[in-house]
Amino acid sequence: MEENIWYDVFIELLYEKYPKNAQLTSELMDLLCLEREAAYRRLRKEVVFTANEIAKIATTWHISLDDIINVNSGRVPFQMLPFNYLNPSRREFANLQKKIKALDHLHTTPNSEYMEVCSRFPRPLHIGFFALYRLLIFYWAYQYHKDESNKVFSKIIISDNIIAEFERYKKNLTHVKNTSFILDEMVFEAYVDSIKYFHSILVLTNEERELLKKELYDLLDYMVKIATTGCYPETQNKVNIYISQITIDTNYSYFYTDNLKTCRVNAFGKYDISSHDPIMVENFRNWMNLKKRTSIQISEVNERKRIEYFSKQREIIDSL
């Protein structure tokens, strides 16, 4: 490659992320703690980004170094950033904030897609039901956390600052223009079975079981509203709900906008392994949409199937 061509490619990739010069400049100022003129001079190539600055930009904005130097290594980069919901470090919390802030643009993005194939409830639907989300974290802590104090549901506390980020995340996702969920047919039954088990071994009290039962009813009612109207009640943005006729092993998803293309696979019940590789994201997008062939849509259409499905889920919750 001719000298400095890689740098031109790097600048082009920055403009792909933020096509408007003012927005790109502002983002660089925030990320690199630069004055406005210093950011402008780098974009005009009067000053070269330092190696540390390039590395920070590439890491934060998920720009592949293969793309920068125009080399196809044949590898697909995936990344997992573990997050301790019980006691996050400053770095972990800062990473969470960055990930959620990256979704702020969904409010003004005309062509955005989100799709999730789910063995358990998708976060955009149930993240606002905090007792249920505490159960998810408890489920993880009970199996994988060494601290014995976290083996009781009452000890699982989600801090106010994390809850605030969850609410921001939920709000951002309701602004996606076109969302699709494909649910495992046993998703409610799996939650109810977990609650029954933890209650039977006395790590979940009667009162906590009733709280979780109430939130399951509330979640079910929320899903009925979405499935009936085919949209989020908060924003009226399109939502399609499907029920898979084949068992789903885990949750996997993709975001697809002009500025954000990413795919994710859930691991160990709590972590996300993600990739921003454009070819892999496109593959995920194609694979996941093909999953609709073995699923039944219950949002808007197929009223009989929708009523049957939600009536059955209500009976399952009644069994608690």
Side-chain angles (χ1 to χ4, degrees):
M1 178 178 291
E2 295 180 14
E3 186 178 0
N4 293 332
I5 289 181
W6 70 269
Y7 195 78
D8 293 333
V9 172
F10 176 64
I11 297 296
E12 289 174 5
L13 290 170
L14 298 187
Y15 277 107
E16 286 182 10
K17 289 288 182 180
Y18 298 100
K20 295 182 179 179
N21 191 66
Q23 186 182 13
L24 175 56
T25 302
S26 178
E27 294 293 335
L28 288 172
M29 289 168 60
D30 290 343
L31 179 62
L32 304 178
C33 300
L34 295 173
E35 297 293 334
R36 185 173 300 276
E37 181 57 29
Y40 277 135
R41 292 179 67 192
R42 281 162 173 76
L43 293 176
R44 292 195 299 261
K45 295 184 278 189
E46 295 172 4
V47 174
V48 177
F49 285 99
T50 68
N52 286 338
E53 288 173 343
I54 292 173
K56 189 171 185 178
I57 292 169
T59 301
T60 305
W61 294 355
H62 308 291
I63 297 174
S64 168
L65 294 178
D66 285 357
D67 291 338
I68 295 173
I69 62 176
N70 197 24
V71 170
N72 184 0
S73 65
R75 300 176 181 177
V76 176
F78 276 83
Q79 182 182 46
M80 181 171 74
L81 293 176
F83 185 85
N84 185 344
Y85 287 89
L86 302 176
N87 187 26
S89 67
R90 288 185 180 181
R91 182 175 181 179
E92 287 176 329
F93 186 69
N95 285 335
L96 176 67
Q97 288 180 307
K98 287 179 183 177
K99 288 170 65 176
I100 295 174
K101 182 181 179 182
L103 303 178
D104 285 349
H105 75 284
L106 293 173
H107 293 246
T108 56
T109 301
N111 299 312
S112 53
E113 296 177 31
Y114 177 77
M115 183 173 181
E116 188 166 357
V117 176
C118 317
S119 63
R120 53 181 174 75
F121 294 126
R123 275 174 289 189
L125 289 184
H126 90 295
I127 201 168
F129 301 93
F130 292 113
L132 292 178
Y133 211 75
R134 282 177 61 207
L135 179 66
L136 179 64
I137 295 172
F138 174 64
Y139 186 89
W140 171 85
Y142 192 85
Q143 295 182 91
Y144 300 114
H145 209 274
K146 295 180 181 179
D147 188 348
E148 291 298 319
S149 68
N150 295 313
K151 305 299 185 182
V152 178
F153 182 73
S154 62
K155 300 294 184 181
I156 301 299
I157 305 298
I158 304 176
S159 66
D160 290 342
N161 57 354
I162 292 179
I163 289 175
E165 291 301 317
F166 284 173
E167 290 175 343
R168 181 180 178 184
Y169 177 77
K170 165 72 174 177
K171 185 176 181 180
N172 279 340
L173 289 189
T174 61
H175 285 277
V176 173
K177 297 304 180 185
N178 197 321
T179 297
S180 293
F181 299 114
I182 299 182
L183 307 178
D184 188 291
E185 193 165 17
M186 308 294 285
V187 64
F188 273 92
E189 189 166 349
Y191 260 68
V192 168
D193 286 347
S194 295
I195 294 170
K196 287 180 178 178
Y197 171 74
F198 288 127
H199 181 260
S200 72
I201 61 173
L202 306 180
V203 296
L204 193 69
T205 66
N206 291 339
E207 293 78 10
E208 290 165 341
R209 180 190 60 183
E210 291 305 308
L211 173 61
L212 290 165
K213 183 177 181 179
K214 178 184 180 303
E215 286 208 350
L216 280 172
Y217 282 131
D218 291 343
L219 173 59
L220 186 67
D221 291 341
Y222 181 61
M223 291 175 62
V224 169
K225 286 182 182 179
I226 292 174
T228 302
T229 61
C231 63
Y232 283 119
E234 302 91 337
T235 60
Q236 306 304 307
N237 284 321
K238 183 70 176 174
V239 181
N240 304 294
I241 297 179
Y242 300 81
I243 305 302
S244 175
Q245 302 303 289
I246 299 175
T247 301
I248 299 170
D249 295 326
T250 189
N251 283 37
Y252 47 99
S253 61
Y254 73 80
F255 277 105
Y256 200 90
T257 74
D258 292 339
N259 294 330
L260 176 65
K261 294 178 175 63
T262 183
C263 55
R264 304 183 303 188
V265 179
N266 184 260
F268 299 104
K270 188 166 74 82
Y271 301 131
D272 285 328
I273 300 173
S274 61
S275 177
H276 299 267
D277 180 81
I279 296 176
M280 181 53 67
V281 173
E282 198 62 49
N283 284 338
F284 259 65
R285 192 183 184 202
N286 292 333
W287 294 334
M288 291 172 65
N289 278 282
L290 287 173
K291 176 68 176 166
K292 293 175 182 177
R293 295 188 303 187
T294 56
S295 306
I296 297 174
Q297 183 174 354
I298 62 168
S299 53
E300 294 187 279
V301 300
N302 206 338
E303 183 176 5
R304 179 178 178 180
K305 181 65 178 178
R306 180 168 68 249
I307 293 173
E308 288 177 354
Y309 173 78
F310 285 118
S311 296
K312 180 180 178 182
Q313 308 320 302
R314 197 169 295 277
E315 291 174 2
I316 291 171
I317 300 172
D318 287 342
S319 70
L320 271 174

